[in-house]
Amino acid sequence: MTEDYRIDNLDKTILTALQADARTPYAELAKRNGVSPGTIHVRIEKMKQAGIITSAQVIVDPKKLGYQVCCFIGINLKAAGDYPEVLKKLQALPEVVEAYYTTGHYSIFTKILTHNIDALHHLLVHQIQSIEQIQSTETLLSLQQPIHRQINP
Amino acid sequence: MTEDYRIDNLDKTILTALQADARTPYAELAKRNGVSPGTIHVRIEKMKQAGIITSAQVIVDPKKLGYQVCCFIGINLKAAGDYPEVLKKLQALPEVVEAYYTTGHYSIFTKILTHNIDALHHLLVHQIQSIEQIQSTETLLSLQQPIHRQINP
DNA sequence: GATGAAAAAATTTGCGG
DNA sequence: CCGCAAATTTTTTCATC
């Protein structure tokens, strides 16, 4: 997390492989790249130190857990200074999985998952629009997510 | 990926731990939950089989790789039927890390990462707005992402 | 289904080039 | 900085409850 580090081609192929499968054995990566498992280990540790690799996460399919509805809600605030207060309230809602502070059409832009449309309706009206610093909201319902990937190192 | 499976509390705590750190040792999870490592293993395998766990990924910090700019681009198509064609072209752009088919203000909603504002400008004008089936676009620049997490199982 | 210990595999460390 | 190989840790299997 401290030092800067400029990655080379070996690092890139390691990263790309681990983005797809964080459990790829070091021996496998070593063989693919013609180096030893020890070298793979060293490179990964360096990229962790440099903050390039932030974590390894198991990815869960929200639909399989009953979260059938995915949407974005754009939020406009009454005053720009209300931002921290509103953020704190959004943070307390587990359905809000992402929030962005944006320029353009909205002040805050959020990604939301709910079990169904009724739950979304309830969340919107009773948890979000009821936040006093919020002036207006706009909802974009996602019907499908055809692209979801990480950036190519 | 085949069968349905209703998760219990043990599964939930396992999932929550692995969402934060996919490398949490099974022995550690076993101790925390008062079960054996074998049980942890069986539960995880079942959740993989059921498609609840889709993958384990190393998460990379785009900024540390030089991708300083994050934005959303909302796209409106000339005709709804142009959707597959446009999607194919977006798929070919590695900067497009997410795409959603949405109702509401836009037809397609994308999340984009670029090295800098110039690169965004170039991508927007020469790669996206030049797609003939696209009627108009709207860009939301993200200044900060204060919330990014997975859904709570 | 879960256990727990044994077997197999992977990760980590440290010496030497 | 890399490779090799030993030491450690983790995952996986399996006979048993």
Side-chain angles (χ1 to χ4, degrees):
Chain A
M1 196 80 118
T2 45
E3 41 170 328
D4 262 28
Y5 177 61
R6 180 161 292 273
I7 66 173
D8 65 9
N9 277 330
L10 175 56
D11 294 318
K12 280 190 196 182
T13 58
I14 294 172
L15 273 187
T16 301
L18 293 182
Q19 280 178 334
D21 181 4
R23 297 253 177 188
T24 315
Y26 292 4
E28 169 70 18
L29 296 172
K31 202 168 62 179
R32 278 190 221 166
N33 291 285
V35 297
S36 75
T39 299
I40 301 293
H41 178 246
V42 169
R43 296 305 190 98
I44 292 175
E45 282 306 309
K46 277 196 186 168
M47 290 193 284
K48 282 186 192 166
Q49 282 304 311
I52 294 169
I53 294 175
T54 59
S55 64
Q57 297 182 4
V58 150
I59 306 299
V60 160
D61 181 350
K63 293 207 174 169
K64 291 283 165 64
L65 294 179
Y67 289 86
Q68 301 286 339
V69 172
C70 169
C71 74
F72 295 91
I73 299 184
I75 296 173
N76 280 303
L77 302 176
K78 289 181 184 159
D82 292 337
Y83 174 64
E85 190 65 25
V86 172
L87 192 64
K88 218 164 78 181
K89 289 177 180 169
L90 293 174
Q91 196 110 35
L93 305 173
E95 296 92 341
V96 178
V97 292
E98 300 175 23
Y100 301 83
Y101 185 28
T102 53
T103 70
H105 228 81
Y106 315 106
S107 318
I108 300 176
F109 195 67
T110 61
K111 180 174 174 177
I112 308 256
L113 295 175
T114 64
H115 284 291
N116 50 50
I117 291 287
D118 281 352
L120 172 60
H121 184 212
H122 187 273
L123 181 79
L124 184 63
V125 174
H126 294 99
Q127 311 280 350
I128 294 181
Q129 286 175 341
S130 67
I131 296 174
E132 59 187 77
Q133 295 93 341
I134 289 179
Q135 182 171 67
S136 64
T137 67
E138 198 172 284
T139 303
L140 306 180
L141 203 62
S142 167
L143 303 176
Q144 206 184 26
Q145 182 178 359
I147 301 179
H148 42 119
R149 59 189 173 197
Q150 287 194 66
I151 195 68
N152 212 266
Chain B
M1 195 78 121
T2 45
E3 42 171 325
D4 261 27
Y5 176 61
R6 180 161 292 272
I7 66 173
D8 65 9
N9 278 331
L10 175 56
D11 295 317
K12 281 189 194 181
T13 59
I14 294 172
L15 273 188
T16 301
L18 294 181
Q19 281 178 333
D21 181 5
R23 298 255 176 185
T24 315
Y26 293 4
E28 169 70 18
L29 295 172
K31 201 168 62 178
R32 277 191 222 166
N33 290 286
V35 298
S36 74
T39 300
I40 301 293
H41 180 245
V42 168
R43 295 305 189 97
I44 292 175
E45 282 305 310
K46 276 194 184 168
M47 290 193 283
K48 282 185 192 167
Q49 282 303 311
I52 294 169
I53 292 175
T54 60
S55 63
Q57 296 182 5
V58 152
I59 306 299
V60 161
D61 180 351
K63 293 205 174 171
K64 290 285 165 66
L65 294 178
Y67 290 86
Q68 301 286 340
V69 172
C70 170
C71 74
F72 295 91
I73 298 183
I75 296 173
N76 280 302
L77 302 176
K78 289 181 183 160
D82 292 336
Y83 173 64
E85 188 66 24
V86 172
L87 192 64
K88 219 164 75 182
K89 290 177 181 171
L90 293 175
Q91 196 110 37
L93 305 173
E95 295 92 342
V96 178
V97 292
E98 299 175 23
Y100 301 83
Y101 185 28
T102 53
T103 70
H105 229 81
Y106 315 106
S107 317
I108 300 176
F109 195 67
T110 61
K111 179 174 173 177
I112 309 257
L113 295 175
T114 63
H115 283 291
N116 50 51
I117 291 286
D118 281 351
L120 172 58
H121 184 212
H122 186 274
L123 181 80
L124 185 63
V125 175
H126 294 102
Q127 311 280 349
I128 294 181
Q129 286 176 342
S130 68
I131 296 174
E132 58 189 78
Q133 295 94 343
I134 289 180
Q135 181 173 70
S136 63
T137 67
E138 199 172 283
T139 303
L140 307 180
L141 203 62
S142 166
L143 303 178
Q144 205 184 28
Q145 183 177 1
I147 301 178
H148 42 121
R149 57 189 174 198
Q150 287 193 65
I151 195 70
N152 211 265

